[in-house]
Amino acid sequence: MGELNSLFMDATEKKAAILGEGFLYKFLEEGCMKSHFCVLTDKRVYVKGRYFHSTGRAYRVREGEYTIDVKDVTGSGFSTARFGFVFALGI
């Protein structure tokens, strides 16, 4: 847990949830990032790794690191991409 606390901006933050926990601990142990993780604390959300970014016409793979205050999180959602052409090509 001490290694996890080194990611936090404030030493008093308490972990609430982790998405991608296996990737997080691999990153902490080996310093190697192959995917992404997201850590929710009582004060902030920490996101690090690869993600898809919409450019309006297509999705591009990006890599980054974000820290978001929990008070700034107002909602959640998702977007979808249609891969009908890929599906038809597979048939």
Side-chain angles (χ1 to χ4, degrees):
M1 185 68 178
E3 295 171 344
L4 182 60
N5 286 342
S6 68
L7 297 175
F8 301 159
M9 294 176 77
D10 183 357
T12 63
E13 290 183 62
K14 295 187 182 358
K15 174 190 77 163
I18 299 175
L19 178 64
E21 192 166 4
F23 297 117
L24 169 64
Y25 289 114
K26 185 168 183 79
F27 171 73
L28 290 173
E29 288 175 11
E30 301 175 11
C32 152
M33 174 61 69
K34 296 211 182 234
S35 192
H36 63 273
F37 62 84
C38 177
V39 179
L40 173 66
T41 69
D42 57 337
K43 296 181 181 179
R44 294 176 184 86
V45 178
Y46 298 89
V47 180
K48 182 176 175 114
R50 285 187 234 144
Y51 60 93
F52 289 98
H53 174 74
S54 173
T55 61
R57 296 176 51 194
Y59 285 88
R60 305 265 186 224
V61 177
R62 299 279 171 98
E63 217 170 294
E65 185 173 335
Y66 294 96
T67 302
I68 306 162
D69 287 342
V70 170
K71 66 180 179 177
D72 294 330
V73 177
T74 58
S76 64
F78 64 92
S79 62
T80 60
R82 295 180 186 232
F83 295 105
F85 173 73
V86 175
F87 179 71
L89 187 63
I91 292 175

